[in-house]
Amino acid sequence: QKEVEQDPGPLSVPEGAIVSLNCTYSNSAFQYFMWYRQYSRKGPELLMYTYSSGNKEDGRFTAQVDKSSKYISLFIRDSQPSDSATYLCAPSRGTDKLIFGTGTRLQVFP
Amino acid sequence: NAGVTQTPKFQVLKTGQSMTLQCAQDMNHNSMYWYRQDPGMGLRLIYYSASEGTTDKGEVPNGYNVSRLNKREFSLRLESAAPSQTSVYFCASSELGNVPGELFFGEGSRLTVL
């Protein structure tokens, strides 16, 4: 079993839709849960992260972790064409050695 | 602000040729990494360096060597390239003690091995 599983998509939604991106993980030692965004032909960049369980909101983005089910989610409200990118989840034990999911490619069309 | 700079951006090699990918960061970070990204496989760690003078293997180190030349620079060498090494390579840096797990990536080096 992979340590991190992520649906690769692609996910295609109309502008204004609510998007849900998800990952599952197997190692209960993970404490930090990162979401990276990667635009086409660019390097990934950190979008947001949460520590332990619970929600964290940043503008139109909400990250959610359920440690009991080992499930990580990223919600995007009022999605925009500029949100079109690949989103990678990356849990961590608090070090900088991350395990990346395969990434979900999102396309938001006008 | 340059951040993490990788060279070259594109390279085509023949099987058996060697080459070195260069990476430099200007953020005074201690840790540096080399990842490869393949369709359906995500980002996989090849080697990392927690500080100047130290290097450690990651998930997929076979066929690669690295050198941490100084605090700024971390190079990745392919001694005898194979078609399986066709990939996009990313260098990254971080500083433990800042946001845990915040890596700063370069724009990637696209390598094709024929």
Side-chain angles (χ1 to χ4, degrees):
Chain A
Q1 182 188 7
K2 288 184 179 179
E3 282 197 275
V4 182
E5 302 263 12
Q6 186 174 8
D7 187 336
L11 189 59
S12 185
V13 301
E15 184 175 354
I18 296 174
V19 176
S20 172
L21 303 168
N22 308 294
C23 289
T24 58
Y25 64 94
S26 58
N27 191 336
S28 57
F30 291 139
Q31 293 287 339
Y32 290 84
F33 302 90
M34 330 296 288
W35 282 97
Y36 279 78
R37 179 174 60 193
Q38 184 177 20
Y39 290 114
S40 181
R41 299 195 168 270
K42 298 290 186 182
E45 57 181 354
L46 182 65
L47 179 63
M48 62 189 302
Y49 74 98
T50 54
Y51 172 70
S52 194
S53 279
N55 292 1
K56 185 174 183 179
E57 191 173 316
D58 185 359
R60 296 183 295 108
F61 297 87
T62 299
Q64 192 173 78
V65 178
D66 182 347
K67 292 193 78 177
S68 62
S69 59
K70 298 188 177 65
Y71 199 79
I72 314 166
S73 299
L74 178 70
F75 298 97
I76 308 174
R77 291 185 302 279
D78 188 25
S79 56
Q80 301 295 309
S82 58
D83 296 328
S84 298
T86 296
Y87 292 80
L88 302 106
C89 63
S92 159
R93 287 175 239 189
T95 69
D96 288 343
K97 285 183 67 178
L98 305 177
I99 307 293
F100 284 90
T102 53
T104 300
R105 188 156 62 91
L106 171 67
Q107 184 173 6
V108 181
F109 56 90
Chain B
N1 291 339
V4 178
T5 304
Q6 293 181 230
T7 55
K9 287 187 167 38
F10 300 92
Q11 185 72 50
V12 179
L13 290 177
K14 294 181 180 177
T15 297
Q17 288 185 318
S18 62
M19 77 158 298
T20 300
L21 299 176
Q22 307 284 357
C23 175
Q25 52 94 7
D26 63 1
M27 295 172 283
N28 203 35
H29 287 165
N30 277 301
S31 301
M32 296 187 73
Y33 312 80
W34 277 105
Y35 285 89
R36 60 178 289 175
Q37 188 173 37
D38 303 288
M41 302 295 289
L43 280 161
R44 292 181 292 169
L45 183 63
I46 304 171
Y47 271 94
Y48 70 100
S49 170
S51 62
E52 185 179 351
T54 68
T55 60
D56 284 290
K57 294 178 180 179
E59 182 185 355
V60 288
N62 290 347
Y64 305 95
N65 286 301
V66 290
S67 295
R68 183 73 184 267
L69 304 169
N70 48 54
K71 192 171 185 180
R72 290 187 64 247
E73 298 173 290
F74 189 37
S75 63
L76 179 72
R77 182 161 178 83
L78 287 71
E79 290 291 352
S80 179
S84 61
Q85 294 178 304
T86 293
S87 188
V88 182
Y89 291 86
F90 287 98
C91 177
S93 71
S94 71
E95 185 66 26
L96 195 61
N98 295 347
V99 173
E102 183 174 23
L103 274 59
F104 294 83
F105 285 85
E107 295 209 335
S109 297
R110 283 162 178 77
L111 175 66
T112 301
V113 183
L114 302 176

